Amino acid sequence: MSSGPSPAERFAAAKVRSRSRNLELFRADLRFDLDPFQIAAGDALDQGRSVLVAAPTGAGKTIVAEFAIWLAMRQPTAKVFYTTPMKALSNQKYSELVAVYGESEVGLLTGDTNVNPRARVVVMTTEVLRNMIYADSDLLDDLAWVVLDEVHYLADRFRGAVWEEVILHLPTEVRLVSLSATVSNAEEFGDWLQTVRGDTDVIVSEDRPVPLEQHVLVGSKMVDLFDSSGAAATNRVNPELLRLVGGASRSERNGGGHRGGRGRGGYHDRRGPRTEKLHRERIAHMLDERMLLPAIFFVFSRNGCDQGVRNVLRSGLSLTTVQERNEIRETAEYHCRTLLDEDLAVLGYWEWLEGLERGVAAHHAGLLPAFKEVVEDLFQRKLLKVVFATETLALGVNMPARTVVLEKLEKFNGEARVPITPGEYTQLTGRAGRRGIDVEGHSVIQWSDGLDPQAVASLASRRTYPLNSSFKPTYNMAVNLIDQFGRQRTREVLETSFAQFQADRSVVDLARKVRSQQESLDGYQQAMQCHLGDFTEYAALRRELSDLERTNVPGGREASHGARAERQAAITEVRRRMQRHPCHACPDREAHARWSERWYKLKRANDKLVQQIRSRTGAVATTFDRVTDVLLQLGYLVDTGNGEATVAAGGRRLQRIYGERDLLVAECLEAGVWKDLTPAQLAAMAATIVYQPRREDAPGTEHALPRGAFRPALDETLNIWSRLDDIERDARLAGSQPPTPAAAVGMFRWASGSALDDVLRTLDLPAGDFVRWSKQVIDLLDQIRNAGDDDLAQTARRATDAVRRGIVAYAAV
């Protein structure tokens, strides 16, 4: 007869219920039940542990972050920072949290927006938090949790270092909620988080909340990519697809598995009949008939996205009802109500609105931010049926669709056309399937002649998305960290970066031990402080005396009477110096001495660890050393001996300058190169610093550059860049591209009050690109205002006001 649960089992069950009481209260208010991975993450948070949650797009990772916020709000003063990689995501999350907690409890900080920064819950971009940490902001007081949404951005080669800086430098008592897309090395990343942050649970979910059905569109016929028969292997190519495209692949005909198949452009096997590709508007019509809308067409070019909308408009296809069209028009007019009438035609407003009313739109970085907001809003409300988007949407705001269409399986990476990776495919198709709405999501690959079915199947079945660090020390990072920790301690901190962890995991463990032992050393040193004098010095004399006495023991091997007499004299001298030392008279001398002995033994052990670290390859620390050498050479740091350095006056300025050209900006401010510029000219100079042409053939505008002080200031800026480039290369650091004045004329005209039409024509840029570059110009002008002298600060303030007008001002709201 069963006796039921044992007392131990009942106790364990009660302990779990007690421990998860908060989670159960949180679940009770939800309209849906939690998935196993959400429960596991919530349980870890309830125990006060950090978590890394890696799960597919749309799986519901953010509910974990919402539970952390809920936990914090149940405490009297605890605060939560919710960080995102993009301002659009920050704005979206801010709106969601305001709806739950009210405007008084939620703030927003995105660089150009500052709303209620002292709220209990503050949404911000990751860079804002990094800057707060370096500035030792009082907003960090009472911070209990930090949410790092889309933490896989850590791999971004331009911005990824910011995530590592935040993780490394947040106060140790702050818990992290790290949310990531499904990555193949989540455990490795979690191990690093455990190493540098302490208690961290890694929760990985491979399950898509909505299953994905994968199809191939061959001409006008849509077939499954994989064999769906019961006896088939999971990832076996559908035989019908092989027949449609000309039979088995060459590798199958040769009797083997797939052996590469990636020719020029990727996945090519030049064989089989030519297939007529269906036009975009016909694909949209087909998906509409099959009840597979709304759909996102991923097109790897902005022009392709805009052309897709034009194709649908020319075809006469309309995907909306009269009521939907009215709602769409009202939404668009509301969002764009502040745009000037004379700018609407320049921005293509009427054609854009016609597309919206027909249920179709583009979404890419060249689009005006206000237009993008409308597209996102309408798509989330199911009013838009087809969106032609670049891949940035896959990593952006929450816009799930029933179907995702991939026109090509290759993209231009800035240098050449390359095949998309399995990780990119996973990200793109992650948008397919709306939780709670769709039974399954659908991906449709449009067949192109020369594709290899086996390679396509391999791409679609693998889930390889490794998270690799892009961390490297910058000049700004170096001066900020050295100011906080000193040069040697900073070097040790950088040894614990994820970049170094991946390069040599053991170095991270050693460096963490060094940092931990250093904290103990600091404590021991505090305990052995003597009010009468330097006890470290006194303890060294005691050790010296002890060593001499140990080697002067009678009956030892040393036979020379003279040598023993000499050593006895040394003992007498050391004893005399020790007895004359101020600390010798301290009543707590022996207590200090015990702490001193502990300090000495631990210091010796720590020094051995430091030597082990130095004897291994430390790429990050080596780069830091080279960066530090450049800063010492240029006078931003001052060598204080013993391998240490302090921040000089110029370094204080550099601490307030962020960006890829931080040192160039600091040098130009130091030399006073920009002091005679007008506000419009300074805006043009800022554009020269931040602008990076998308194409090699950027229009030459040198003949139209602003006159007066601008041209000699530009020449001197380029001279300073050239000198810095030589210094960096001599220090074995990667050089940089020279600043380009390609955007200077357009920015000068904009800051001088020219019309939008004139400026966009001058720059040959879409409105969205112009707004984005203008925001970067404003950001740099703000840094110049904070770092420059009073006169230049005034000029920078006026330049900011001159740039922040019209569509640039509207985009900042």
Side-chain angles (χ1 to χ4, degrees), residues 13-90:
K15 190 175 178 183
V16 168
R17 283 196 301 273
S18 171
R19 188 181 66 198
S20 301
R21 186 168 55 249
N22 283 322
L23 183 59
E24 293 305 316
L25 289 171
F26 177 73
R27 289 173 73 178
D29 290 334
L30 298 177
R31 299 188 308 275
F32 52 87
D33 199 12
L34 297 178
D35 292 337
F37 85 91
Q38 294 166 329
I39 293 171
D43 191 38
L45 295 181
D46 212 355
Q47 296 176 59
R49 298 168 65 85
S50 296
V51 294
L52 165 64
V53 181
T57 300
K61 295 185 289 290
T62 55
I63 198 73
V64 179
E66 288 164 16
F67 178 54
I69 296 170
W70 186 89
L71 283 173
M73 296 302 279
R74 288 174 66 83
Q75 299 173 33
T77 59
K79 294 198 297 193
V80 183
F81 286 172
Y82 194 114
T83 75
T84 77
M86 291 179 290
K87 293 176 183 178
L89 275 173
S90 293

Side-chain angles (χ1 to χ4, degrees), residues 250 258-271 300 407-413 416-422 424 445-459 462:
R250 182 182 293 125
H258 177 59
R259 295 190 180 91
R262 290 193 184 192
R264 183 180 63 80
Y267 309 109
H268 283 272
D269 185 4
R270 297 187 177 282
R271 207 195 13 77
F300 298 119
E407 292 193 343
K408 294 180 180 176
L409 296 180
E410 60 183 22
K411 64 173 187 175
F412 186 69
N413 68 356
R417 298 206 72 79
V418 296
I420 65 172
T421 66
E424 288 168 332
I445 298 168
Q446 192 169 14
W447 188 262
S448 298
D449 292 322
L451 284 178
D452 178 358
Q454 287 296 148
V456 173
S458 174
L459 172 77
R462 286 163 60 203

Side-chain angles (χ1 to χ4, degrees), residues 275 757 783:
T275 304
D757 189 18
Q783 294 174 42

Side-chain angles (χ1 to χ4, degrees), residues 542-655:
R542 283 176 64 121
R543 277 193 300 276
E544 186 180 353
L545 179 62
S546 178
D547 291 343
L548 286 168
E549 288 176 337
R550 196 164 41 245
T551 57
N552 203 41
V553 177
R557 288 190 176 186
E558 188 160 1
S560 167
H561 177 75
R564 282 202 304 273
E566 188 177 313
R567 189 160 296 164
Q568 186 59 51
I571 289 172
T572 302
E573 172 58 21
V574 172
R575 184 175 285 129
R576 183 184 61 78
R577 287 166 54 202
M578 192 180 77
Q579 289 170 346
R580 288 182 177 179
H581 196 282
C583 293
H584 191 68
C586 180
D588 297 322
R589 182 183 68 201
E590 293 310 309
H592 293 333
R594 286 192 292 274
W595 284 112
S596 168
E597 194 57 28
R598 292 179 190 175
W599 178 88
Y600 179 69
K601 287 178 180 177
L602 188 59
K603 180 77 166 64
R604 256 190 334 187
N606 221 36
D607 288 346
K608 284 183 181 177
L609 290 178
V610 170
Q611 192 54 45
Q612 284 184 53
I613 290 172
R614 285 177 179 162
S615 67
R616 304 182 188 204
T617 303
V620 175
T622 299
T623 303
F624 169 72
D625 288 340
R626 293 169 182 171
V627 165
T628 304
D629 288 343
V630 169
L631 292 171
L632 286 166
Q633 180 180 342
L634 293 171
Y636 289 91
L637 295 175
V638 177
D639 191 339
T640 57
N642 300 320
E644 281 299 340
T646 57
V647 178
R652 298 286 173 203
R653 177 180 288 119
L654 181 55
Q655 283 181 280

Side-chain angles (χ1 to χ4, degrees), residues 238-248 273:
N238 184 357
E240 185 183 359
L241 172 61
L242 294 175
R243 286 195 298 273
L244 279 173
V245 300

Side-chain angles (χ1 to χ4, degrees), residues 15 157 165 208 271 331 430 511 533 588 633 695 738 789 797:
K15 190 175 178 183
R157 69 190 182 100
E165 290 176 78
R208 282 179 52 99
R271 207 195 13 77
T331 301
D588 297 322
Q633 180 180 342
R695 300 181 298 275
D789 59 34
R797 185 177 291 107

Side-chain angles (χ1 to χ4, degrees), residues 678-684 744-755 759 770 774 777 781 798-805:
T678 66
Q681 289 174 339
L682 186 59
V745 176
M747 185 53 65
F748 176 77
R749 290 181 180 172
W750 177 253
S752 299
S754 290
V759 172
F770 171 65
S774 296
V777 166
L781 289 171
R798 290 197 293 270
T800 300
D801 293 340
V803 175
R804 191 183 278 130
R805 67 179 182 89

Side-chain angles (χ1 to χ4, degrees), residues 152 154-156 164 185 188 465-471 498 502:
H152 50 271
L154 183 142
D156 184 90
E164 286 193 52
N185 60 336
E188 179 190 37
Y465 185 43
L467 183 61
N468 293 315
S469 172
S470 61
F471 183 82
F498 188 45
Q502 291 188 305

